[in-house]
Amino acid sequence: MKKSLKVNSLQMEGFLLQIGNVAAFTGQVLKETFSFGFEFREFMRQCYKIGNKSLPLVGITGFIMGMVLTIQSRPALDEFGAVSMLPGMVAVSIIREIGPVITALIFAGKIGSGMGAELGSMRVSEQIDAMEVSSINPVRYLVVTRVLACMLMLPLLVVFADAFALAGSWIGINLKGSVSLILFISRAFGSVDFYDFFPALVKSFVFGWVIGLTGCYKGFTVTGGTENVGVAANSAVVAASLLVIVVDLIAVQITDIIQ
């Protein structure tokens, strides 16, 4: 019994210590973000790297997502003679919720894990320590640039995925019918408004911050040898994906209250 209580106490102490470390790291990143000496060239390099890596995967996933959603929704609407509502329904679903969340989860798996592995490798090979000795601020150079690049690129990738998803939806509709592209676009965008676009872009911005910060934290705080780099990359994906779901839940509640 005493041993069990001691183990629980140690686990709670470790959890609180982890929370404190995350808070301290977040504060340091925020401080360096607004300090003088922004690494603009490294920021642009990270934007290109992140966007270039993600475009093909996000585009293909968005296209398939739109087509599958259309094909699976059609029978239900067909029963009520409401097939004409299919473009609008798919557009609202993709732009409001499915596009941002699916893109963010893919982004967390590819970019978040990559950041964890890259910074983790730099930490265990003492490259980050060498930067500190050389008077280069590693948080400003490595972390701030990556986090801001994630915040800028993820909303753009969401718009890209939405466009491909609507293209997939148009092809999905034409598999069992004939709808012109102009009519499809007219019905799709006639069903969405500012309150569908804006909250989705805002939460994509927050998703980018969460994923970038989590990936960098996991990599930046790796200890031990190279075997822990893989652990950091995997835990970055798990933590970032979970946080994306939590942030989405909060964003949906806030949007529901505002509307």
Side-chain angles (χ1 to χ4, degrees):
M1 184 66 179
K2 286 183 177 178
K3 186 177 179 181
S4 176
L5 288 174
K6 185 177 180 181
V7 170
N8 290 334
S9 175
L10 288 174
Q11 288 177 340
M12 179 59 70
E13 186 179 338
F15 176 73
L16 293 176
L17 183 61
Q18 185 76 1
I19 295 291
N21 289 337
V22 171
F25 184 78
T26 304
Q28 191 177 5
V29 173
L30 289 174
K31 177 187 171 186
E32 296 298 337
T33 300
F34 297 103
S35 62
F36 180 75
F38 180 65
E39 301 285 351
F40 185 73
R41 291 185 64 180
E42 176 64 11
F43 167 69
M44 292 304 295
R45 193 179 77 83
Q46 290 299 327
C47 285
Y48 174 76
K49 186 178 171 184
I50 290 170
N52 194 40
K53 272 186 176 180
S54 308
L55 274 179
L57 182 60
V58 167
I60 293 170
T61 305
F63 183 85
I64 295 172
M65 179 174 65
M67 182 179 282
V68 169
L69 181 62
T70 302
I71 293 172
Q72 292 200 333
S73 301
R74 183 170 192 140
L77 292 178
D78 202 14
E79 287 184 11
F80 299 98
V83 178
S84 61
M85 296 175 62
L86 194 53
M89 191 204 74
V90 172
V92 170
S93 302
I94 288 172
I95 291 171
R96 270 192 179 185
E97 187 65 24
I98 299 175
V101 173
I102 297 296
T103 306
L105 292 176
I106 293 171
F107 195 82
K110 188 166 182 62
I111 303 301
S113 65
M115 286 181 178
E118 183 183 13
L119 295 189
S121 299
M122 293 179 72
R123 172 61 78 187
V124 299
S125 61
E126 299 182 349
Q127 292 180 56
I128 294 178
D129 296 331
M131 292 177 73
E132 291 173 342
V133 172
S134 305
S135 302
I136 298 173
N137 190 323
V139 174
R140 185 184 304 165
Y141 187 82
L142 298 175
V143 179
V144 172
T145 53
R146 283 166 172 76
V147 172
L148 293 182
C150 288
M151 294 172 72
L152 176 64
M153 295 310 295
L154 185 53
L156 296 177
L157 289 169
V158 168
V159 173
F160 183 75
D162 289 349
F164 269 75
L166 292 176
S169 175
W170 177 62
I171 292 176
I173 287 177
N174 279 283
L175 291 177
K176 288 187 177 180
S178 179
V179 177
S180 69
L181 182 59
I182 294 175
L183 180 60
F184 175 83
I185 292 175
S186 172
R187 288 180 176 173
F189 286 94
S191 301
V192 296
D193 57 25
F194 176 78
Y195 291 104
D196 296 313
F197 280 110
F198 187 68
L201 287 178
V202 171
K203 70 182 179 183
S204 300
F205 192 75
V206 180
F207 289 162
W209 182 75
V210 167
I211 294 168
L213 193 68
T214 304
C216 290
Y217 172 76
K218 291 294 183 181
F220 207 79
T221 55
V222 167
T223 56
T226 54
E227 68 275 8
N228 290 331
V229 174
V231 176
N234 289 333
S235 62
V237 176
V238 174
S241 300
L242 182 61
L243 288 171
V244 164
I245 301 298
V246 173
V247 169
D248 183 58
L249 176 63
I250 296 171
V252 168
Q253 294 297 322
I254 293 174
T255 306
D256 187 54
I257 292 171
I258 293 174
Q259 289 181 340

